[in-house]
Amino acid sequence: MIAASPTSGNIPPPAHAADRSDADDVKAAAAGDRQAFGRLYRQHVDRIYGAVYRLAGYDHARAEDLTQEAFVRCWQKLAGFRHESAFSTWLYRLAVNVALMDIRSRGSDPVHMMDEELVPDNGETPFCAAERDELERAIAKLPPRARAVLVLHDVEGWKHEEIGEELGMAIGSSKAQLHRARGLLRNVLGEGS
Amino acid sequence: MNELEWHRQMRALREPVAPQRDLWTQIDAALDAAQPTVSAPPARRRPQRVWLLAASFAGWRYLPEA
């Protein structure tokens, strides 16, 4: 699912690690240097796109919109970046936040809207093996909020406390969503896998 | 499959993905309408004011009373 990025004449050249660091470009971009911001974009777009692409259910069109919005917000907020974390971490959190706000704004799939009959009992292990493509297709079929919790916890490695904070839900709700998401995933993948 | 294998399988999905098309042109265009919220540097105190304060203090402290 990894696509090659086309090149264009007006895209700034990729940064050479030895020549420029993020810190230089962040400083310049915060002062309004569009070329420096372009270099930051080139440096980080694949990681950002990957995260929002997964959260958007492997939907390229939505992932493109969310990525654009994330970079525009980054540009607007860059002057407020305090260097308390790495720029890549700050940008990643900002982009995930944009994707989660999109999910929240749609107000979709609170827990009660999910089909409880599809979810295995608490005692049943929801873990199952699958091929990568099969797994991605199954994740894409999950309801958006359940998918967000599954992707953030199981793929991105977030803690329930962080997920609850970002999605505006209790830690217990995050755990319940994860259990349901895993159960639904197992159901989609099939018992035999 | 146990939980450890599950996590290994899921974490393997965490990879960078290149967009299918170039997004920079649209982002670059959108930046024109989204100027950065650059906070103005804090205004420096005028040095003249410091000297005025010092001079008035010195006058009050050291000059004989009229």
Side-chain angles (χ1 to χ4, degrees):
Chain A
M1 284 213 185
I2 298 175
S5 181
T7 54
S8 169
N10 62 347
I11 303 174
H16 296 287
D19 297 337
R20 283 189 166 271
S21 66
D22 268 1
D24 293 334
D25 284 332
V26 168
K27 193 176 173 184
D33 184 337
R34 198 78 72 85
Q35 289 289 315
F37 190 66
R39 282 190 294 273
L40 290 172
Y41 164 81
R42 300 279 286 175
Q43 187 74 20
H44 297 281
V45 64
D46 291 0
R47 182 163 175 256
I48 295 306
Y49 187 83
V52 299
Y53 179 56
R54 289 185 284 275
L55 287 168
Y58 299 90
D59 179 338
H60 277 293
R62 268 184 70 198
E64 285 175 3
D65 289 346
L66 294 170
T67 301
Q68 286 178 34
E69 190 179 338
F71 275 97
V72 170
R73 283 208 196 168
C74 172
W75 170 255
Q76 289 176 309
K77 291 171 174 272
L78 207 48
F81 175 55
R82 297 287 172 241
H83 299 270
E84 288 163 355
S85 60
F87 171 74
S88 58
T89 306
W90 179 78
L91 174 62
Y92 166 80
R93 290 298 291 239
L94 188 151
V96 167
N97 190 254
V98 166
L100 295 181
M101 278 175 61
D102 180 63
I103 290 170
R104 290 179 72 175
S105 70
R106 289 163 193 257
S108 53
D109 73 285
V111 170
H112 68 269
M113 284 178 65
M114 297 172 68
D115 191 346
E116 298 287 341
E117 290 180 3
L118 293 175
V119 182
D121 296 335
N122 281 335
E124 193 177 348
T125 173
F127 309 123
C128 50
E131 293 296 325
R132 184 194 183 93
D133 286 351
E134 195 183 4
L135 201 52
E136 290 181 342
R137 279 197 297 274
I139 291 171
K141 287 180 184 171
L142 292 176
R145 191 172 282 232
R147 181 176 59 239
V149 174
L150 180 92
V151 167
L152 288 176
H153 188 275
D154 283 359
V155 181
E156 306 289 331
W158 286 35
K159 293 180 170 61
H160 283 294
E161 289 81 359
E162 297 171 300
I163 296 168
E165 193 176 319
E166 289 288 346
L167 274 170
M169 62 167 71
I171 292 170
S173 299
S174 174
K175 289 179 179 175
Q177 285 275 24
L178 179 64
H179 179 76
R180 284 172 168 81
R182 285 173 175 172
L184 288 168
L185 198 62
R186 178 188 165 122
N187 188 274
V188 172
L189 289 167
E191 296 286 333
S193 46
Chain B
M1 165 174 257
N2 63 32
E3 188 164 1
L4 190 67
E5 290 167 334
W6 167 265
H7 282 298
R8 194 176 297 130
Q9 173 182 258
M10 295 298 281
R11 291 303 291 269
L13 300 178
R14 192 189 185 199
E15 284 185 346
V17 180
Q20 287 187 318
R21 62 188 180 88
D22 170 39
L23 304 178
W24 174 251
T25 308
Q26 283 175 277
I27 291 171
D28 194 32
L31 296 186
D32 289 330
Q35 288 304 307
T37 53
V38 180
S39 54
R44 291 183 61 190
R45 260 182 125 177
R46 291 183 180 178
Q48 299 96 312
R49 187 169 291 178
V50 176
W51 283 109
L52 280 173
L53 282 170
S56 66
F57 175 77
W60 169 77
R61 177 72 179 78
Y62 298 111
L63 290 180
E65 290 183 18

